[in-house]
Amino acid sequence: MIESTYPEKASANKAGLCQTDGANTADPIDVYVCTNIDCKNRGAAQILKELSELAQITTGESIAVKPYMCFSACNIGPNVVIPAKRCWLSGVRPSDVGPIVGYLEGGSDLPHLREQNEPDLEEMIFAIIDAGLIPE
Ligand code: FES
């Protein structure tokens, strides 16, 4: 059996609702940015770069921004997933980078970045992550 890195929060949290409380961990909060072809064609590389830089500047080591292979939500990317907060953000633009870091620091939720999300797909994304299928 594969142990999940993340606590079992899926059943305790409604689909489509990002948590605004802390991740309750001393470990960095992982933030995954899909960098596969469709998301890449919509600017994912720039989002990954800017999110990494801003997170480093504003939070130091407390946020770890990493590339991800594909969340199977290719038509609504670029996609960003924050497993510890059960948060999937879609249609992310460079102008969203600042608000995402603000959210990670305890700021406001970002419902406009979940308008396109499909609940079934969201459930699948977190099930895959909970199963341990995440990059090291
Ligand atoms: S290409 Fe980004 S979710 Fe598939």
Side-chain angles (χ1 to χ4, degrees):
M1 180 176 162
I2 298 171
E3 290 290 323
S4 173
T5 305
Y6 300 100
E8 293 179 36
K9 294 180 181 176
S11 60
N13 197 45
K14 285 184 187 174
L17 181 63
C18 293
Q19 294 177 345
T20 53
D21 58 341
N24 294 327
T25 175
D27 296 330
I29 297 174
D30 292 331
V31 177
Y32 293 104
V33 179
C34 174
T35 54
N36 211 330
I37 191 71
D38 288 329
C39 288
K40 184 178 177 182
N41 287 341
R42 294 190 184 99
Q46 181 182 357
I47 290 164
L48 177 67
K49 180 179 182 290
E50 292 184 9
L51 195 52
S52 297
E53 291 172 353
L54 187 59
Q56 179 69 38
I57 291 168
T58 59
T59 71
E61 303 295 318
S62 65
I63 296 174
V65 182
K66 303 174 180 178
Y68 196 86
M69 68 293 256
C70 183
F71 295 110
S72 300
C74 316
N75 60 331
I76 57 171
N79 291 292
V80 173
V81 174
I82 308 157
K85 289 182 168 282
R86 313 308 288 185
C87 186
W88 165 29
L89 306 172
S90 61
V92 176
R93 298 178 178 177
S95 59
D96 297 314
V97 166
I100 290 171
V101 173
Y103 161 72
L104 289 165
E105 292 183 298
S108 301
D109 192 8
L110 304 164
H112 69 287
L113 295 177
R114 292 192 310 278
E115 290 173 349
Q116 303 177 85
N117 293 10
E118 298 171 20
D120 290 346
L121 183 53
E122 181 168 309
E123 197 171 305
M124 185 197 76
I125 288 170
F126 288 114
I128 289 170
I129 288 172
D130 289 343
L133 299 176
I134 53 174
E136 291 298 318

